[in-house]
Amino acid sequence: MSAKKPTSSEDKKTGRNQAEGQRTGVKRKDGTRIDDPRAVVGLSTRDRAIDHELALLSGSIRFLLDITPMNVEQARTEFLATGELPEFVYRDVVDDPEVLKRVLEDVPIHLVDDTVLGTLLRNKHKEMSLQLDMLAARDTEDFMPLSIELYGAILPDLRRSAELILETVTATESTSAGSLGAKEFLDLAREEIDHYRQQDPDIEMHAEIRDDVSGVMVSGNSLLLGPESKVRKARAHALLQHEVGTHLVTHFNGSAQPIKILGTGLARYDETQEGLAVLAEVACGGLTAFRLRQLASRVLTVHRMVTGATFAEAHSALVADGVPASSAFTTTMRAYRAGGLTKDAIYLRGMLDLLGHLRRGGSLDLLLLGKFSLEDLPLIDDLQERGVLEPALLQPRWLDDQDATARLGRAAALDDPTAFVNA
């Protein structure tokens, strides 16, 4: 299951040379020869230029940042004290979504020659148009239907799994070990990034504390922390594997590919990406009872929101389920922000889908090449088989854990989602 890791500059050079060798045989599967310019990466210059153009535009859209409130901590304090939710305050959207839509329309996706790449880019083009519609509809009643279109509906099986987890996993780990503040966790994150610089000193990864951020999140090649962020010590290593070892690593690996859109993410990549990040927590032995309950709570909160519950009602339901009031506020805010963001249902769903993939004999190796959905795996496999894609430059630390394969295997063999804790 694990991917091979370049352990030195010479190893990485050898890996690149092997990849080049796969692409520069006397004759390729598609009939191109070594003296054909397309044989360098198997794609025409025009196809690559269109991919680059779309990737640059995708990278310029700060979607998650722009739909997340800046005043979360102030709102939390006021809501928990009075029961009244103050108005959320959002960043100014730097570029007018309507202007960006016009720019997007001018990207000549219809001119892509390669059938597989054309399919991937067309789907991404449609998704970006939908995201820009969401930014334009931020904090209005039009936002939630667009979110459901982007992230999909919550089906009964997923809701039942979430309910079962909250009903069954009631004992959570002790908090006696305490928590790390933002500065302490930032230091750990920078140490983690330095670990990957040993694999490739030229990597572009950053971590910083920002006043306009709440909690911990990744945007592009940066890990962002709010100044009031606190991370349970028992969760710190797993969170690093989730954010740095998965989100930042796949961003870098994808950005290093000839197909640049793999760095910012293909259409519908979020669900598989978040599922993979949760599997990183499983692999390193860090999926705690509290965390599993959190994932289930997110599903149920999104469901309650979609079916008409108010913010206060959804928050009260979580508290009744045994979730601490402050944690319940975070979960509820994440769902109700911007007019109703349904993204939080995808974490548990993505994990369950990937465990099913492993159960059927699938591998995680290709998923390390960049950000894309499990649904697109056959298309990515086609590109790799044709020599279009290069080996991943970075190997996640969580796959270095000698027990990672066994932990993932045990989790994949389980039918009961309540048993996933430290499987």
Side-chain angles (χ1 to χ4, degrees), residues 210-272:
R210 280 180 43 165
D211 291 338
D212 62 343
V213 169
S214 175
V216 181
M217 66 184 296
V218 164
S219 179
N221 64 359
S222 298
L223 177 67
L224 307 178
L225 296 89
E228 305 299 322
S229 300
K230 291 192 179 300
V231 177
R232 293 187 180 191
K233 289 183 178 179
R235 278 276 303 149
H237 180 63
L239 185 58
L240 288 172
Q241 304 317 306
H242 182 115
E243 303 291 358
V244 178
T246 305
H247 292 327
L248 288 183
V249 163
T250 53
H251 174 83
F252 177 80
N253 284 343
S255 298
Q257 292 293 339
I259 297 176
K260 299 303 178 185
I261 199 70
L262 283 169
T264 58
L266 294 172
R268 303 176 303 278
Y269 83 88
D270 288 285
E271 182 168 322
T272 299

Side-chain angles (χ1 to χ4, degrees), residues 165-184:
I165 289 170
L166 284 188
E167 290 169 1
T168 307
V169 183
T170 55
T172 59
E173 61 279 6
S174 169
T175 60
S176 60
S179 299
L180 300 174
K183 180 61 171 63
E184 294 171 296

Side-chain angles (χ1 to χ4, degrees), residues 283-325:
C284 71
L287 185 67
T288 63
F290 180 87
R291 174 61 165 164
L292 186 60
R293 283 177 56 83
Q294 183 184 67
L295 299 180
S297 297
R298 290 178 178 180
V299 172
L300 297 180
T301 300
V302 169
H303 173 69
R304 287 163 183 152
M305 175 185 68
V306 170
T307 53
T310 65
F311 187 103
E313 289 169 343
H315 181 267
S316 295
L318 287 179
V319 173
D321 285 332
V323 179

Side-chain angles (χ1 to χ4, degrees), residues 87-242:
E87 184 176 350
F88 285 136
V89 177
Y90 299 92
R91 298 163 186 80
D92 292 334
V93 178
V94 175
D95 296 305
D96 186 336
E98 292 303 319
V99 173
L100 291 180
K101 283 203 75 170
R102 179 61 62 88
V103 175
L104 180 63
E105 289 169 3
D106 288 340
V107 179
I109 300 295
H110 63 285
L111 295 180
V112 176
D113 293 319
D114 188 272
T115 303
V116 171
L117 181 62
T119 298
L120 295 173
L121 294 186
R122 280 193 298 274
N123 289 340
K124 180 61 178 179
H125 191 274
K126 293 175 184 175
E127 180 179 84
M128 289 172 63
S129 180
L130 179 57
Q131 288 178 319
L132 290 172
D133 287 340
M134 291 174 68
L135 286 177
R138 184 181 69 179
D139 215 20
T140 73
E141 62 183 14
D142 295 328
F143 185 89
M144 191 194 301
L146 295 171
S147 179
I148 294 172
E149 183 179 349
L150 179 62
Y151 295 112
I154 296 178
L155 299 180
D157 282 351
L158 180 64
R159 189 173 76 249
R160 281 193 291 269
S161 293
E163 290 170 342
L164 182 62
I165 289 170
L166 284 188
E167 290 169 1
T168 307
V169 183
T170 55
T172 59
E173 61 279 6
S174 169
T175 60
S176 60
S179 299
L180 300 174
K183 180 61 171 63
E184 294 171 296
F185 188 74
L186 177 66
D187 291 340
L188 290 179
R190 287 176 171 167
E191 289 177 12
E192 193 71 12
I193 290 171
D194 285 341
H195 164 79
Y196 291 105
R197 289 208 171 97
Q198 295 174 19
Q199 296 185 37
D200 191 317
D202 297 325
I203 63 171
E204 287 290 332
M205 289 185 190
H206 311 281
E208 62 178 300
I209 296 173
R210 280 180 43 165
D211 291 338
D212 62 343
V213 169
S214 175
V216 181
M217 66 184 296
V218 164
S219 179
N221 64 359
S222 298
L223 177 67
L224 307 178
L225 296 89
E228 305 299 322
S229 300
K230 291 192 179 300
V231 177
R232 293 187 180 191
K233 289 183 178 179
R235 278 276 303 149
H237 180 63
L239 185 58
L240 288 172
Q241 304 317 306
H242 182 115

